[in-house]
Amino acid sequence: MARLIDTCIMSRKNRTTFGFTLLELLVVMVIIGLLASYVAPRYFSQIGRSEIRTAQAQIEAFGKALDTYRLDVGQYPTTEQGLAALNNRPDGLGRWAGPYLQKPAPMDPWGQPFHYKAPGEHGDYDLFSYGKDGQPGGSGEAADITNW
């Protein structure tokens, strides 16, 4: 019996423990938190810039489609016809050779429709998005994205 007790005591002393202490886990959590607080703002600022670049690219693509429309028809679509004239033949146009876009005009990256006016105040037509806030003016991500 004494030998069995000695064996149990010896095996407990020689046993190596695996795992982490609570302190080690807390240190790792603090390090992960510090890294996340450094990386997250940089990541989310990139998302805002990419939305702006996407809106600019969409406006440029609409501009090319509108120019092709003008070459075929002889004028830009009216404000009433809007960007829908790039996909659907307006009534009374015989020289329309569209569709000029593969799909109907998408919304801007913030889920709002693009605004189109012809004739425009800044050129033959004005094509713009009000940005993230959906209101005229603004700065940063809320700034208007325009074709002028």
Side-chain angles (χ1 to χ4, degrees), residues 7-59:
T7 305
C8 288
I9 291 173
M10 291 299 282
S11 67
R12 275 194 176 167
K13 288 181 183 177
N14 293 334
R15 184 183 311 167
T16 56
T17 58
F18 295 103
F20 299 103
T21 65
L22 181 59
L23 182 60
E24 291 170 327
L25 289 174
L26 289 174
V27 168
V28 169
M29 295 295 284
V30 167
I31 291 171
I32 290 172
L34 289 172
L35 288 173
S37 68
Y38 177 74
V39 171
R42 294 177 186 266
Y43 172 74
F44 288 114
S45 71
Q46 288 296 328
I47 290 175
R49 282 186 235 152
S50 69
E51 289 173 333
I52 291 169
R53 281 188 237 123
T54 299
Q56 290 169 337
Q58 287 175 320
I59 286 175

Side-chain angles (χ1 to χ4, degrees), residues 17-145:
T17 58
F18 295 103
F20 299 103
T21 65
L22 181 59
L23 182 60
E24 291 170 327
L25 289 174
L26 289 174
V27 168
V28 169
M29 295 295 284
V30 167
I31 291 171
I32 290 172
L34 289 172
L35 288 173
S37 68
Y38 177 74
V39 171
R42 294 177 186 266
Y43 172 74
F44 288 114
S45 71
Q46 288 296 328
I47 290 175
R49 282 186 235 152
S50 69
E51 289 173 333
I52 291 169
R53 281 188 237 123
T54 299
Q56 290 169 337
Q58 287 175 320
I59 286 175
E60 187 175 320
F62 291 146
K64 290 177 182 176
L66 286 165
D67 290 339
T68 305
Y69 178 98
R70 181 176 169 255
L71 287 173
D72 289 345
V73 175
Q75 66 183 21
Y76 289 107
T78 63
T79 302
E80 292 77 29
Q81 292 168 334
L83 296 176
L86 298 174
N87 282 83
N88 303 316
R89 178 191 304 264
D91 293 333
L93 287 182
R95 297 184 311 194
W96 188 85
Y100 299 95
L101 294 174
Q102 292 179 355
K103 298 177 182 176
M107 299 291 198
D108 70 12
W110 302 280
Q112 302 295 322
F114 283 95
H115 301 275
Y116 173 78
K117 286 174 44 177
E121 298 172 12
H122 303 280
D124 292 329
Y125 64 89
D126 291 348
L127 182 58
F128 54 96
S129 166
Y130 284 132
K132 186 174 185 173
D133 65 352
Q135 302 295 319
S139 61
E141 290 181 33
D144 299 346
I145 294 103

